Amino acid sequence: VFCSFDSKFNMTTVSGMASRIRGCNDSETFDLAGQNEATITHTISQAFSEPFPLNEMIRLTFIVGAGKLGRQKYDENAAKAVTAALRTLDFQEDHGASCAIDCAGTYKLQHDTGKNLKTVVVFPKVIVTKPANAEPSAVAFDKLSLGKEHHQSSSPEQICALSSQVVLTNMLQSKCPSWSQKKGCLTVLSEILERIQTYEHKLLKGEPLSDTEQDWYDAVSLEDIA
């Protein structure tokens, strides 16, 4: 989802956490401990009411719950407040959303079993400021390599591997018109499936994921690949 607006967003009307959210140029995590439902709704509404001027997608993670030791710190309706405010702003839930420009305007709920935290991950609507001839989809893959080799960052195979089902369906015809490209995507998806299954096996054994592994696990939906 790409958005445009005629006037610059008025940061003077935004304060506190909403201002910090709008000031993000990189992926960040915000802890909503101690905030009530009304405050959360107001913060999310202010922060995401306008698209972000970004050339690369960022992932904004909101901690909305924790395990037994930290559960009392969070409003029981924290997750609901975040998602309801986002839906009011026409954001869509997408379990397979990843840190790609094509996933702008989506969110997903996650449970980090390693850290025992419940989160809402938001991929904000953006207004891309790159020249028209730039490759907007390439930025999603700068930090991820698929399989044993580092593929070209804007290849159709990579785009398909890290896209949700909805995005993948929309992009197949334009990004992968040939049979060989579709076959390449299938190969990459198989490699990703093996990797994510390995990570899930670690989590089931109670082993925490490394930061890199967690990024992979957050970016790829096992349901969409399978």
Side-chain angles (χ1 to χ4, degrees), residues 115-133:
K115 299 177 182 178
N116 204 13
L117 296 174
K118 294 181 179 179
T119 62
V120 179
V121 182
V122 182
F123 303 100
K125 297 178 182 179
V126 300
I127 176 169
V128 179
T129 57
K130 276 188 176 183
N133 60 352

Side-chain angles (χ1 to χ4, degrees), residues 208-225:
L209 300 179
S210 67
D211 290 341
T212 301
E213 290 172 339
Q214 189 67 54
D215 285 341
W216 267 93
Y217 191 73
D218 289 344
V220 181
S221 168
L222 188 58
E223 290 183 0
D224 286 342
I225 292 177

Side-chain angles (χ1 to χ4, degrees), residues 31 63-67 74 110-119:
D31 194 342
I63 302 175
V64 294
Y74 299 89
Q110 292 190 322
H111 184 191
D112 186 337
T113 55
K115 299 177 182 178
N116 204 13
L117 296 174
K118 294 181 179 179
T119 62

Side-chain angles (χ1 to χ4, degrees), residues 52 94 108 185:
F52 287 46
D94 186 346
K108 58 183 178 181
C185 287

Side-chain angles (χ1 to χ4, degrees), residues 57-77:
M57 179 52 62
I58 60 175
R59 179 175 58 246
L60 299 174
T61 302
F62 297 89
I63 302 175
V64 294
K68 290 183 179 180
L69 296 179
R71 185 178 302 163
Q72 70 280 2
K73 298 178 182 178
Y74 299 89
D75 190 295
E76 62 179 359
N77 293 318

Side-chain angles (χ1 to χ4, degrees), residues 12-223:
T12 61
T13 64
V14 181
S15 60
M17 183 178 291
S19 178
R20 296 198 301 274
I21 295 169
R22 288 211 58 85
C24 289
N25 293 314
D26 297 302
S27 296
E28 297 286 351
T29 299
F30 296 89
D31 194 342
L32 299 184
Q35 298 202 36
N36 61 36
E37 184 175 356
T39 300
I40 294 171
T41 299
H42 182 70
T43 296
I44 298 299
S45 298
Q46 280 199 324
F48 295 101
S49 62
E50 295 284 355
F52 287 46
L54 298 169
N55 288 326
E56 301 183 4
M57 179 52 62
I58 60 175
R59 179 175 58 246
L60 299 174
T61 302
F62 297 89
I63 302 175
V64 294
K68 290 183 179 180
L69 296 179
R71 185 178 302 163
Q72 70 280 2
K73 298 178 182 178
Y74 299 89
D75 190 295
E76 62 179 359
N77 293 318
K80 180 181 178 182
V82 173
T83 57
L86 290 172
R87 287 195 300 272
T88 299
L89 298 172
D90 295 324
F91 279 69
Q92 296 182 355
E93 183 174 9
D94 186 346
H95 298 292
S98 61
C99 204
I101 287 291
D102 303 288
C103 294
T106 63
Y107 68 90
K108 58 183 178 181
L109 287 82
Q110 292 190 322
H111 184 191
D112 186 337
T113 55
K115 299 177 182 178
N116 204 13
L117 296 174
K118 294 181 179 179
T119 62
V120 179
V121 182
V122 182
F123 303 100
K125 297 178 182 179
V126 300
I127 176 169
V128 179
T129 57
K130 276 188 176 183
N133 60 352
E135 289 287 345
S137 295
V139 297
F141 311 106
D142 288 345
K143 298 181 181 180
L144 295 177
S145 60
L146 303 179
K148 297 181 179 179
E149 299 179 357
H150 181 72
H151 296 255
Q152 184 179 353
S153 62
S154 57
S155 68
E157 290 87 352
Q158 282 190 324
I159 295 173
C160 291
L162 293 184
S163 294
S164 67
Q165 269 190 329
V166 175
V167 175
L168 176 60
T169 301
N170 293 336
M171 295 174 64
L172 267 178
Q173 290 185 343
S174 60
K175 296 292 185 180
C176 303
S178 70
W179 178 86
S180 60
Q181 287 175 319
K182 290 181 173 66
K183 183 178 179 181
C185 287
L186 180 60
T187 299
V188 173
L189 289 171
S190 297
E191 295 173 356
I192 293 293
L193 179 60
E194 292 180 5
R195 182 174 297 196
I196 298 302
Q197 287 176 333
T198 298
Y199 296 161
E200 290 207 330
H201 183 64
K202 289 180 64 175
L203 292 173
L204 287 173
K205 294 193 298 183
E207 299 177 12
L209 300 179
S210 67
D211 290 341
T212 301
E213 290 172 339
Q214 189 67 54
D215 285 341
W216 267 93
Y217 191 73
D218 289 344
V220 181
S221 168
L222 188 58
E223 290 183 0

